[in-house]
Amino acid sequence: MCMRKHFKTALLSLTVLVLFGQGCSRISPADKGFNFDVTADMRGYTLPVYAGSNYFVGACEAIRDIGPGDFMVSPGDIDPPDQVRKTLDAVLGEDYVWYPVVGNHELEKPEYMSYLRMYNKGGVMLPGIVHGGPSGAVETCYSFDHGNAHCVVINQYYDGKRDDALDGEVPEPLYNWLEDDLKNTGKKFIFVFGHEPLVSSPDLDNGRVRHRGDSLDKYPESSHRFWQLMRKHKVVAYFCGHTHNTSVCKINGIWQIDAGHARGQGDPGARSTFMQIHVGAGSVRCDVYRDDAEGGRYTLTFSEYLR
């Protein structure tokens, strides 16, 4: 079931009240949890070359204006990653926590992968790390805990020896690492982050479809096993990117959330997007913010309770 153009007026009104009402509280008093932000596929539309609000800077400014979450996760195609980090520093501050995910375009230049490995050197540099990656991907696969949530970042280009070898899959070495990680967490909510979707879904506004047949669905046996593993361990949602289209779909009991792109006018084929996830004591809500289709102002356009 894919939620397209699924607007809930009462819920949206409540969310706007929470975000922009008295005191500009980030979190509903009923939640008493935390928020985190999700952006993907900004691909080069960053500082210093693209400094205007109609590029990735604009998404960051909108996040700043609504009240940033405790951290950001970016599910891939974040090249060059050092420029993404500089943009975050400039708009959201040098202390703002960023968890990067390897996408296919980070494989194109050795310096991009070198940066990401150093960013989480030894698999222990990022806050809250509880499980470093397997041999050969110690820095680019990892899991971390925050509040009542367990978050797992997987590198789908890891082949068991190198973290930059495949064209996007969940092969046995990565599956085994993920299985071990998931069975050893006691957190209430579990989220998994990877670059490629299980299957590409249409953009929730204009229905555009990209990368169908050459995402994880290119390898149906391993992708099905991956999905079954997440179901077994009651993962709330799998976050991805790659398609530049935004979708929020529930597939066989697991939410697949494609963060779209945060490039602003860098991709006029779909509206630029960021998400803020609200993790409460007993609930999880996904709020989707999209720009005005001209790379300008971002507004809340879609909300869905995931749990």
Side-chain angles (χ1 to χ4, degrees):
M1 176 178 63
C2 186
M3 307 296 181
R4 292 177 56 193
K5 296 183 178 294
H6 179 60
F7 298 93
K8 296 185 177 180
T9 303
L11 178 58
L12 293 180
S13 299
L14 173 62
T15 306
V16 172
L17 178 64
V18 169
L19 293 174
F20 299 104
Q22 185 176 3
C24 296
S25 174
R26 297 185 201 173
I27 307 171
S28 166
D31 286 343
K32 296 181 180 177
F34 69 93
N35 304 335
F36 67 90
D37 308 310
V38 184
T39 63
D41 292 80
M42 58 288 292
R43 291 217 62 225
Y45 287 89
T46 55
L47 294 175
V49 177
Y50 294 93
S53 296
N54 49 355
Y55 298 107
F56 180 55
V57 170
C60 294
E61 290 171 339
I63 291 170
R64 178 196 63 199
D65 292 346
I66 68 168
D70 290 359
F71 57 87
M72 177 186 289
V73 185
S74 293
D77 284 1
I78 50 177
D79 53 311
D82 62 318
Q83 300 303 326
V84 174
R85 181 67 258 184
K86 288 179 181 177
T87 305
L88 297 175
D89 291 349
V91 182
L92 296 170
E94 295 181 4
D95 294 333
Y96 180 68
V97 178
W98 180 49
Y99 294 96
V101 182
V102 174
N104 58 297
H105 286 288
E106 280 73 77
L107 309 184
E108 294 174 352
K109 292 188 177 182
E111 58 266 34
Y112 296 163
M113 292 300 295
S114 294
Y115 178 89
L116 292 173
R117 294 179 192 120
M118 288 299 296
Y119 192 77
N120 187 31
K121 187 176 180 180
V124 297
M125 297 300 291
L126 291 169
I129 292 280
V130 294
H131 196 183
S135 177
V138 171
E139 296 88 2
T140 56
C141 290
Y142 53 90
S143 64
F144 63 95
D145 288 345
H146 190 90
N148 58 352
H150 181 68
C151 301
V152 190
V153 167
I154 60 173
N155 178 351
Q156 296 163 345
Y157 309 97
Y158 169 65
D159 68 351
K161 296 180 180 179
R162 291 173 45 191
D163 63 0
D164 57 357
L166 298 181
D167 64 348
E169 193 185 356
V170 182
E172 187 171 0
L174 178 57
Y175 176 92
N176 291 340
W177 177 85
L178 179 61
E179 181 179 39
D180 182 66
D181 181 89
L182 292 177
K183 72 182 182 183
N184 283 297
T185 183
K187 292 295 184 178
K188 184 177 182 64
F189 299 120
I190 303 173
F191 306 103
V192 176
F193 302 84
H195 181 55
E196 299 186 16
L198 268 292
V199 61
S200 176
S201 295
D203 183 83
L204 62 84
D205 284 329
N206 65 18
R208 184 178 76 163
V209 177
R210 298 178 71 242
H211 291 300
R212 181 165 288 177
D214 66 347
S215 295
L216 295 184
D217 55 354
K218 184 177 179 180
Y219 303 97
E221 183 176 342
S222 63
S223 64
H224 178 72
R225 187 174 65 162
F226 168 50
W227 205 255
Q228 289 295 104
L229 178 65
M230 291 194 290
R231 285 192 65 185
K232 176 181 177 181
H233 291 281
K234 297 180 172 57
V235 170
V236 174
Y238 169 63
F239 291 86
C240 58
H242 194 51
T243 70
H244 294 201
N245 300 319
T246 299
S247 59
V248 180
C249 303
K250 197 169 191 179
I251 306 173
N252 294 330
I254 299 291
W255 290 97
Q256 176 178 279
I257 302 178
D258 190 327
H261 75 88
R263 308 174 84 188
Q265 291 182 341
D267 184 347
R271 294 167 67 186
S272 189
T273 304
F274 72 86
M275 298 177 172
Q276 190 163 90
I277 312 302
H278 305 263
V279 182
S283 65
V284 178
R285 189 181 77 242
C286 173
D287 289 348
V288 178
Y289 291 79
R290 308 200 80 180
D291 72 7
D292 57 10
E294 296 181 356
R297 184 171 179 266
Y298 288 76
T299 56
L300 176 64
T301 63
F302 177 89
S303 286
E304 181 65 61
Y305 272 96
L306 308 178
R307 182 67 60 84

